Each structure stands twice: as structure tokens, then as C-alpha cells.
């Protein structure tokens, strides 16, 4: 399937904004987790806290990889436009299915993590 360069650029911007939002959300979640950590010293709770700390690291790493991939795609679009600026409004490129799936998979995984995290918090407060 083909799509316009403008549509691809627009999606890249939307995805980068989403990823920035998730990075901010992880910071909020970590701050809340630090509060739980200060109030709870039980081994079982410490293990759960460590689990979430690890998950946050993994999610941050995933965000970084996806963001890097999207940035590389965006550079390709910019190079194509620079190469032939006159036709850039009408030129089509292969749809970026891989990036769309990466973002979608990340969002699904993050939603599941958020649910698990909120269930954990509801038991602690």
C-alpha cells in the first residue's frame, strides 16, 4: 500500500508525541513506586517493586528503539523531499507498516503494564 510523504510525516510526529507522553507517564509511575517502596519493606512487596522497576527500564528502552526507528524513517522522507521538492506533495511511498505495528504493540504492552501496576498500587494504598 502506498501513502503520501505528508501522511507519513504526520504519523511520525503523532507517534513521537505518544512516545514522549509514555516517557512522562513512566516518570510519574516511578515516583509513585518510590513512595510505595519507602513505606513497605516486606520481601514480597520489594520483589514486586523490583519487577516494576525492571519493566519501566524495559519500556524506556523500547521507547528509545522505536523513536530511533521513526527518526531514521523521518530522515529518509526529508532526504526524498530535498532530492525532489517539487513533487513531494504528490509523491507516494510504501506505507510504514512495521513502525505502525511497533507503536501499536508497545501501546498494548504498556496498557497491560499500567493495569498490572494500578492493581499493585490499589493493594498498597
Amino acid at each position: 500500500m502506498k501513502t503520501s510523504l505528508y501522511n507519513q510525516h504526520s504519523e511520525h510526529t503523532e507517534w513521537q508525541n505518544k512516545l514522549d507522553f509514555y516517557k512522562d507517564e513512566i516518570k510519574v509511575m516511578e515516583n509513585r513506586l518510590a513512595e510505595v517502596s519507602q513505606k513497605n519493606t516486606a520481601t514480597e512487596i520489594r520483589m514486586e517493586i523490583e519487577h516494576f522497576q525492571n519493566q519501566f527500564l524495559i519500556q524506556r528502552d523500547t521507547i528509545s528503539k522505536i523513536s530511533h526507528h521513526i527518526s531514521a524513517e523521518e530522515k529518509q522522507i526529508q532526504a526524498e523531499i530535498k532530492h525532489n521538492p517539487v513533487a513531494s506533495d504528490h509523491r507516494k511511498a510504501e506505507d510504514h507498516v512495521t513502525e505502525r505495528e511497533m507503536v501499536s504493540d508497545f501501546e498494548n504492552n504498556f496498557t497491560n503494564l499500567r493495569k498490572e501496576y494500578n492493581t499493585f498500587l490499589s493493594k498498597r494504598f
Side-chain angles (χ1 to χ4, degrees):
M1 183 171 118
K2 299 265 185 177
T3 185
S4 74
L5 296 178
Y6 176 78
N7 284 343
Q8 283 189 341
H9 170 72
S10 179
E11 281 187 310
H12 289 163
T13 301
E14 177 186 341
W15 294 337
Q16 290 289 17
N17 288 338
K18 282 182 177 185
L19 295 173
D20 288 343
F21 171 80
Y22 287 119
K23 280 195 286 190
D24 289 342
E25 189 169 358
I26 289 171
K27 288 177 191 173
V28 170
M29 294 166 84
E30 286 176 322
N31 289 338
R32 188 77 166 148
L33 191 62
E35 291 176 26
V36 173
S37 180
Q38 290 174 352
K39 295 177 183 178
N40 295 283
T41 57
T43 304
E44 176 187 321
I45 295 172
R46 287 282 180 203
M47 288 174 59
E48 290 181 272
I49 289 169
E50 187 174 323
H51 162 74
F52 287 112
Q53 289 170 333
N54 290 336
Q55 287 301 310
F56 297 153
L57 288 172
I58 290 167
Q59 296 305 313
R60 231 190 230 106
D61 184 54
T62 302
I63 288 170
S64 178
K65 287 176 183 175
I66 295 170
S67 182
H68 178 73
H69 196 83
I70 292 170
S71 293
E73 286 283 318
E74 189 65 21
K75 286 178 184 174
Q76 285 182 327
I77 290 173
Q78 291 172 1
E80 286 184 42
I81 290 171
K82 189 175 183 178
H83 176 69
N84 189 358
V86 175
S88 65
D89 288 347
H90 307 292
R91 230 169 40 231
K92 302 284 185 185
E94 285 299 318
D95 191 26
H96 43 208
V97 176
T98 302
E99 293 79 12
R100 186 175 293 110
E101 287 175 357
M102 290 170 71
V103 172
S104 178
D105 290 346
F106 171 79
E107 287 184 303
N108 289 333
N109 290 335
F110 194 86
T111 297
N112 291 334
L113 175 61
R114 186 188 301 125
K115 287 177 186 175
E116 179 186 358
Y117 176 75
N118 286 333
T119 299
F120 166 76
L121 287 180
S122 70
K123 293 177 185 176
R124 305 298 166 237
F125 287 102

